[in-house]
Structures are given as structure tokens and as C-alpha cells.
Amino acid sequence: MASTINNWVHEEGNVTDKDRLALERAKKMEHKLKKNGYRWIKINERLQTFVPCDENGKPTLEGECKIAMIKESQNIK
């Protein structure tokens, strides 16, 4: 017989006003960065990162460095 699963981290499971505010801020930040040339770049089938790109959509030198750091930290070849 299966036992009930309890959320031991957060009992109520409610979304608070602080959660909504943080999500709004993150969306505003992402929108602002998109206007400045940032794009989501797919690193592998499960991982994407938000990096600066040039007018052609290719990652800039800074973007390539961020991608390389993520690949190194995740052991992706």
C-alpha cells in the first residue's frame, strides 16, 4: 500500500506575493535583455542559457565564454 506523499519543505504549497513579485522582476529583466541582443542558446537537449548575441544571432565573445563555463561546470563536451 502506498503511503501519502507530504511536502516536507513547504507544507502549504501556496504561491506568495513575494513569489509573484520575483517572477515579474525576472520577466522584466529578461524582456530588457532581449531588447539588448540577448537570446536563449541551446547547449544540449535539456539545457539552455541566456547569452548576449550579435545582430546575426551568433553569441558574442562574452556569450561564448558563458557557454564554455556552463559546459565545463556540467561536464558537457
Side-chain angles (χ1 to χ4, degrees):
M1 184 169 185
S3 64
T4 59
I5 298 173
N6 291 329
N7 186 353
W8 58 271
V9 175
H10 188 64
E11 290 294 325
E12 295 176 10
N14 295 334
V15 177
T16 64
D17 289 334
K18 286 185 179 181
D19 298 333
R20 288 188 186 96
L21 183 61
L23 181 60
E24 285 179 29
R25 287 180 181 170
K27 284 182 178 182
K28 285 180 185 178
M29 186 186 305
E30 182 180 347
H31 184 70
K32 183 179 176 183
L33 289 173
K34 272 188 177 181
K35 285 185 175 181
N36 291 331
Y38 276 67
R39 291 184 185 218
W40 286 103
I41 302 295
K42 192 171 187 177
I43 294 177
N44 66 12
E45 63 275 356
R46 295 183 179 178
L47 183 62
Q48 294 182 13
T49 186
F50 202 54
V51 296
C53 296
D54 60 9
E55 295 82 21
N56 298 327
K58 304 280 184 181
T60 61
L61 183 60
E62 180 185 354
E64 289 290 338
C65 290
K66 287 183 179 184
I67 291 170
M69 286 175 35
I70 291 171
K71 283 184 176 183
E72 183 181 331
S73 69
Q74 298 292 322
N75 277 339
I76 299 172
K77 294 183 180 185

